[in-house]
């Protein structure tokens, strides 16, 4: 197991749930999810009435809005987010069997962390360590929601993987790709015009990367 690195960046606090709801409304997420803006506002207001909701992330269930619809809503330096060309099956990446999602269109994540301290770990190494800490790995859609609300969560040399989402093959085995969010260098098939744009990509489950942490949370709940 590689050494655990110290967290090098303090991120700003997440905005209030009401502010998060308005941001999603501005992006047209309720329409994508088959919800009304008032339903989103109502959920945020009700959840925000609980004192321990401070610092929580508002998320839409991935069954309502897939990663392919959320990724283009990301922005960095005015450039929209995108999914790499060799991950056109991105929406088939589903929650691991150990990840329990609330049976509701909207929910909260608490204690979201980028996992900088696990930079240079492989996904195969990070998952059992997070489980032992009673932390749950973020789904790809949850990671996108986080960057939508807190763009500073994605920065060069400090990006993150979302290993709660995996693709299951017909054989029952997991596809070796693990999804991640990082920043394009504008090379290869990305195209120079996408340099510095937010990027949904993937890495092999057994590989280590010094610039990728492992995003996780303490819990998912509906209030």
């Amino acid at each position: 197991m590689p050494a655990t690195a110290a967290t090098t960046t303090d991120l700003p606090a997440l905005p209030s749930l009401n502010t998060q709801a308005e941001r999603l409304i501005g992006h047209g997420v309720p329409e994508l999810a088959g919800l009304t803006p008032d339903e989103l506002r109502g959920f945020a207001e009700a959840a925000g009435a609980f004192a321990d909701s401070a610092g929580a992330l508002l998320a839409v269930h991935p069954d309502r809005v897939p990663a392919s619809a959320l990724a283009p809503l990301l922005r960095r330096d005015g450039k929209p987010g995108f999914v790499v060309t060799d991950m056109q099956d991105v929406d088939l990446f589903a929650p691991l069997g150990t990840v329990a999602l609330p049976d509701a269109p909207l929910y909260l994540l608490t204690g979201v962390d980028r996992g900088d301290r696990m930079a240079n770990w492989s996904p195969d190494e990070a998952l059992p360590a997070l489980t032992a800490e009673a932390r749950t790995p973020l789904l790809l859609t949850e990671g996108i929601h986080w960057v939508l609300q807190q763009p500073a969560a994605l920065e060069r040399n400090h990006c993150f993987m979302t290993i709660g989402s995996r693709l299951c093959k017909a054989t029952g085995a997991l596809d070796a790709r693990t999804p991640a969010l990082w920043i394009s260098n504008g090379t290869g098939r990305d195209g120079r015009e996408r340099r510095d744009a937010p990027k949904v990509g993937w890495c092999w489950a057994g590989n280590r990367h010094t610039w990728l942490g492992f995003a996780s949370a303490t819990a998912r709940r509906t209030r």
Side-chain angles (χ1 to χ4, degrees):
M1 194 72 71
T4 300
T7 299
T8 57
T9 304
D10 291 325
L11 295 174
L14 276 163
S16 70
L17 293 177
N18 288 336
T19 299
Q20 291 183 47
E22 293 303 323
R23 187 166 293 171
L24 294 181
I25 290 167
H27 283 301
V29 172
E31 290 80 3
L32 294 173
L35 300 168
T36 67
D38 283 345
E39 284 177 307
L40 189 53
R41 290 188 180 105
F43 175 84
E45 185 170 350
F50 293 85
D52 59 355
S53 68
L57 173 67
L58 174 58
V60 179
H61 198 289
D63 285 351
R64 291 293 190 116
V65 185
S68 64
L70 289 172
L73 304 180
L74 296 171
R75 290 290 185 279
R76 188 175 187 275
D77 293 339
K79 296 181 180 181
F82 67 99
V83 179
V84 294
T85 58
D86 54 353
M87 201 179 181
Q88 295 306 302
D89 53 357
V90 63
D91 292 339
L92 299 180
F93 282 70
L96 284 170
T98 54
V99 173
L101 290 184
D103 184 18
L106 300 167
Y107 62 95
L108 305 179
L109 293 109
T110 56
V112 177
D113 179 75
R114 193 168 60 188
D116 291 359
R117 62 192 178 81
M118 288 184 174
N120 207 32
W121 291 40
S122 72
D124 286 342
E125 294 165 333
L127 182 58
L130 291 173
T131 301
E133 296 172 0
R135 296 192 63 85
T136 179
L138 257 59
L139 307 181
L140 175 56
T141 52
E142 294 169 346
I144 296 173
H145 275 294
W146 188 21
V147 178
L148 279 172
Q149 301 291 353
Q150 193 175 60
L154 200 65
E155 59 178 312
R156 287 206 176 275
N157 300 317
H158 296 291
C159 299
F160 60 88
M161 304 198 70
T162 53
I163 59 175
S165 296
R166 295 292 296 271
L167 175 61
C168 188
K169 298 180 180 180
T171 61
L174 291 176
D175 187 283
R177 293 172 296 166
T178 52
L181 281 159
W182 71 84
I183 300 165
S184 175
N185 287 326
T187 57
R189 287 181 287 181
D190 287 3
R192 288 195 300 175
E193 71 280 3
R194 283 175 164 165
R195 179 174 174 79
D196 295 326
K199 171 177 176 177
V200 173
W202 59 270
C203 298
W204 299 119
N207 286 5
R208 298 173 178 172
H209 298 277
T210 59
W211 47 278
L212 285 173
F214 293 86
S216 65
T218 54
R220 296 175 179 85
R221 66 188 201 213
T222 55
R223 65 179 189 179

